[in-house]
Amino acid sequence: MRAPLPIEDFKNTDVVFRLGVVPERLPHISHRGPNWAANERSFLLELPEIGRFLCEEGARLTLCPAPGAVLDDIAVFVTGTAMAAILYQRGAMLLHGSAVVHDGRAFLFCGDSGAGKSTLAAALVQAGASFLADDVCSIDMSDSAVPRAIADGRFLSLYPDSIGQTGLTDATGSRVRRRIDKYHISVGGGPEASIDSAPVAAIYMIAGSHAAAPPGISQLPNLEAAQALLHNSYRRRVALAYAHRGQIPAQTFRLLSSTHVFLLHRAAKFDALDDTVSMIKAHWAGLR
């Protein structure tokens, strides 16, 4: 939100946040979903008991809080869906995943909500990697020949059972939202914690193991990899609403030209977490 600073201090402002009037409807809607609608220039999100969010032209976010809404509840959607809409309006590529850095390379872990992305990232940080991003992973293809994963500047967020299993009790901060038993975790002290981006070395799609698919890592063929990347776009339907700007096929081709996508089958049990971490680190060594 805009702070009371002299106007010249805003000449390099990237995104302007402000409180204001947000319309109940958008004109010329081209796409819509549960609680949201989009047109060529704007994205409107309306959440009961939270507020309405208007994201415009990749540069402005206007917020109209609902009566009694709490800042922490609002912030989750500002840093999640609303910022994703802003970035998609700019043509960004976002994956629903966590990311860590090891030896200067970024490793991404994608999956549906509850797949264990954050827990796995926390366990890898405890095993020597550095935290890069949680839940939303932005891929920068603007300057480097190799796409880079961007640090999100946020905390990991974990449920209490994951906090206990990964030994991060002392790093536990505030609740992510009221009524949700999930907490911010500060894991910023890793050996490469100051890195703000890193080249994407591998992307893993998290899946459970079973008798026909025991724990292991296998490379996906390019067509399946492309489908998996699209499926794991952050807020996929919002991504598709701005697909003509983001050039999803071109971005996917470029990403797959420099890295591989793997299917990670792992036992979804806490007592198998150490084995999963060992398997992943051995795989990293083989990617050199």
Side-chain angles (χ1 to χ4, degrees):
M1 297 173 194
R2 176 163 289 193
L5 296 176
I7 192 66
E8 57 266 25
D9 290 337
F10 287 97
K11 59 186 178 183
N12 295 319
T13 297
D14 195 44
V15 179
V16 173
F17 295 77
R18 62 185 178 187
L19 297 175
V21 176
V22 173
E24 295 183 1
R25 296 178 182 274
L26 287 181
H28 312 300
I29 292 172
S30 58
H31 297 77
R32 68 170 71 243
N35 299 322
W36 65 267
N39 64 23
E40 177 73 16
R41 297 177 177 274
S42 304
F43 173 85
L44 176 65
L45 175 68
E46 181 167 11
L47 301 168
E49 301 182 6
I50 303 294
R52 289 200 300 275
F53 304 72
L54 180 65
C55 308
E56 300 173 283
E57 301 183 343
R60 298 185 302 278
L61 196 165
T62 305
L63 168 64
C64 180
V70 174
L71 180 59
D72 286 349
D73 290 348
I74 295 172
V76 171
F77 295 98
V78 168
T79 57
T81 304
M83 280 305 300
I86 291 280
L87 292 170
Y88 281 136
Q89 288 170 348
R90 297 181 176 192
M93 184 179 194
L94 306 177
L95 293 177
H96 188 196
S98 60
V100 299
V101 177
H102 184 68
D103 286 345
R105 303 181 297 171
F107 299 93
L108 280 57
F109 299 89
C110 297
D112 295 335
S113 296
K117 303 181 292 295
S118 300
T119 299
L120 189 52
L124 288 165
V125 168
Q126 292 293 73
S130 294
F131 171 66
L132 193 68
D134 185 34
D135 201 45
V136 188
C137 192
S138 178
I139 310 297
D140 179 18
M141 302 186 187
S142 58
D143 298 321
S144 172
V146 178
R148 300 179 71 86
I150 306 299
D152 66 2
R154 302 188 302 172
F155 298 104
L156 269 169
S157 56
L158 295 174
Y159 290 104
D161 51 358
S162 293
I163 294 171
Q165 184 64 35
T166 52
L168 288 166
T169 302
D170 291 343
T172 304
S174 59
R175 279 179 185 261
V176 173
R177 286 186 63 189
R178 292 181 307 163
R179 305 169 188 163
I180 294 181
D181 197 22
K182 198 171 188 180
Y183 297 83
H184 295 293
I185 305 296
S186 177
V187 289
E192 296 170 282
S194 62
I195 290 178
D196 59 9
S197 71
V200 178
I203 302 171
Y204 299 89
M205 302 296 168
I206 300 175
S209 62
H210 47 81
I217 297 172
S218 57
Q219 184 176 333
L220 289 175
N222 275 350
L223 179 58
E224 292 182 32
Q227 292 170 334
L229 290 173
L230 176 60
H231 178 79
N232 285 279
S233 296
Y234 185 76
R235 300 292 187 262
R236 182 171 65 254
R237 293 183 64 183
V238 180
L240 291 172
Y242 294 100
H244 62 294
R245 298 186 184 187
Q247 301 178 327
I248 289 177
Q251 291 174 329
T252 301
F253 176 80
R254 183 170 171 192
L255 187 57
L256 292 178
S257 296
S258 63
T259 191
H260 296 299
V261 177
F262 299 92
L263 187 60
L264 166 63
H265 284 288
R266 58 92 178 88
K269 300 183 297 185
F270 281 128
D271 58 8
L273 191 56
D274 289 344
D275 291 338
T276 301
V277 168
S278 296
M279 177 173 65
I280 292 170
K281 295 191 74 172
H283 192 252
W284 290 352
L287 291 175
R288 294 182 183 282

